[in-house]
Tab-separated table of all heavy atoms in Angstrom:
chain	number	residue	atom	x	y	z
A	3	GLU	N	170.627	81.871	-39.086
A	3	GLU	CA	169.775	82.904	-38.504
A	3	GLU	C	170.599	84.126	-38.118
A	3	GLU	O	170.175	85.270	-38.294
A	3	GLU	CB	169.054	82.350	-37.274
A	3	GLU	CG	168.053	83.310	-36.643
A	3	GLU	CD	166.881	83.611	-37.554
A	3	GLU	OE1	166.587	82.799	-38.453
A	3	GLU	OE2	166.263	84.668	-37.364
A	32	THR	N	167.200	127.094	-50.792
A	32	THR	CA	167.045	127.356	-52.218
A	32	THR	C	166.176	126.288	-52.889
A	32	THR	O	165.516	126.564	-53.896
A	32	THR	CB	168.409	127.429	-52.931
A	32	THR	OG1	169.095	126.177	-52.801
A	32	THR	CG2	169.266	128.535	-52.330
A	56	HIS	N	134.751	120.792	-51.103
A	56	HIS	CA	133.849	119.851	-50.432
A	56	HIS	C	134.566	118.587	-49.958
A	56	HIS	O	134.094	117.913	-49.032
A	56	HIS	CB	132.695	119.465	-51.368
A	56	HIS	CG	133.138	118.775	-52.624
A	56	HIS	ND1	133.802	119.433	-53.639
A	56	HIS	CD2	133.038	117.472	-53.014
A	56	HIS	CE1	134.067	118.575	-54.616
A	56	HIS	NE2	133.627	117.393	-54.258
A	142	LEU	N	161.972	112.044	-63.689
A	142	LEU	CA	161.434	110.772	-64.197
A	142	LEU	C	160.132	110.392	-63.487
A	142	LEU	O	159.687	109.263	-63.558
A	142	LEU	CB	162.438	109.628	-64.053
A	142	LEU	CG	163.817	109.818	-64.688
A	142	LEU	CD1	164.740	108.657	-64.300
A	142	LEU	CD2	163.710	109.899	-66.207
A	144	VAL	N	159.217	109.223	-60.784
A	144	VAL	CA	159.331	108.336	-59.631
A	144	VAL	C	160.636	108.473	-58.863
A	144	VAL	O	160.798	107.873	-57.789
A	144	VAL	CB	159.143	106.868	-60.071
A	144	VAL	CG1	157.693	106.610	-60.440
A	144	VAL	CG2	160.054	106.529	-61.250
A	151	SER	N	156.085	105.979	-50.236
A	151	SER	CA	155.546	106.398	-48.939
A	151	SER	C	154.074	106.777	-49.037
A	151	SER	O	153.280	106.491	-48.133
A	151	SER	CB	156.358	107.579	-48.393
A	151	SER	OG	157.704	107.209	-48.178
A	177	PRO	N	161.937	110.858	-78.653
A	177	PRO	CA	163.265	111.170	-79.173
A	177	PRO	C	163.483	112.676	-79.223
A	177	PRO	O	162.553	113.446	-79.483
A	177	PRO	CB	163.248	110.557	-80.573
A	177	PRO	CG	162.211	109.482	-80.509
A	177	PRO	CD	161.163	110.005	-79.573
A	225	LYS	N	154.950	113.035	-82.407
A	225	LYS	CA	154.249	113.166	-81.134
A	225	LYS	C	154.914	112.281	-80.097
A	225	LYS	O	155.477	111.220	-80.428
A	225	LYS	CB	152.767	112.816	-81.270
A	225	LYS	CG	152.479	111.355	-81.551
A	225	LYS	CD	150.974	111.099	-81.528
A	225	LYS	CE	150.675	109.608	-81.754
A	225	LYS	NZ	149.221	109.352	-81.684
A	229	PHE	N	154.263	106.351	-71.770
A	229	PHE	CA	155.035	105.195	-71.312
A	229	PHE	C	154.289	104.435	-70.213
A	229	PHE	O	154.113	103.226	-70.291
A	229	PHE	CB	156.404	105.669	-70.816
A	229	PHE	CG	157.237	104.610	-70.150
A	229	PHE	CD1	157.598	103.456	-70.835
A	229	PHE	CD2	157.674	104.769	-68.838
A	229	PHE	CE1	158.376	102.476	-70.225
A	229	PHE	CE2	158.447	103.797	-68.224
A	229	PHE	CZ	158.799	102.650	-68.916
A	248	THR	N	157.574	99.175	-75.109
A	248	THR	CA	158.140	99.478	-76.418
A	248	THR	C	157.106	100.263	-77.207
A	248	THR	O	155.955	99.833	-77.339
A	248	THR	CB	158.524	98.194	-77.177
A	248	THR	OG1	159.505	97.485	-76.419
A	248	THR	CG2	159.084	98.524	-78.552
A	266	VAL	N	150.788	114.972	-63.607
A	266	VAL	CA	149.923	114.421	-62.561
A	266	VAL	C	148.576	115.102	-62.691
A	266	VAL	O	148.471	116.232	-63.182
A	266	VAL	CB	150.499	114.604	-61.142
A	266	VAL	CG1	151.783	113.806	-60.984
A	266	VAL	CG2	150.731	116.064	-60.809
A	302	VAL	N	167.903	111.927	-71.488
A	302	VAL	CA	168.846	110.819	-71.494
A	302	VAL	C	169.671	110.922	-72.773
A	302	VAL	O	169.134	110.851	-73.885
A	302	VAL	CB	168.118	109.466	-71.433
A	302	VAL	CG1	169.118	108.316	-71.470
A	302	VAL	CG2	167.259	109.393	-70.171
A	329	PHE	N	167.519	102.920	-53.230
A	329	PHE	CA	166.111	102.798	-53.581
A	329	PHE	C	165.465	104.142	-53.935
A	329	PHE	O	164.379	104.176	-54.499
A	329	PHE	CB	165.333	102.137	-52.432
A	329	PHE	CG	165.177	103.012	-51.208
A	329	PHE	CD1	164.033	103.759	-51.006
A	329	PHE	CD2	166.188	103.090	-50.254
A	329	PHE	CE1	163.885	104.558	-49.882
A	329	PHE	CE2	166.054	103.890	-49.131
A	329	PHE	CZ	164.895	104.631	-48.943
Side-chain angles (χ1 to χ4, degrees):
E3 184 65 23
T32 61
H56 62 289
L142 305 173
V144 289
S151 298
K225 68 174 182 178
F229 172 59
T248 299
V266 295
V302 179
F329 71 96

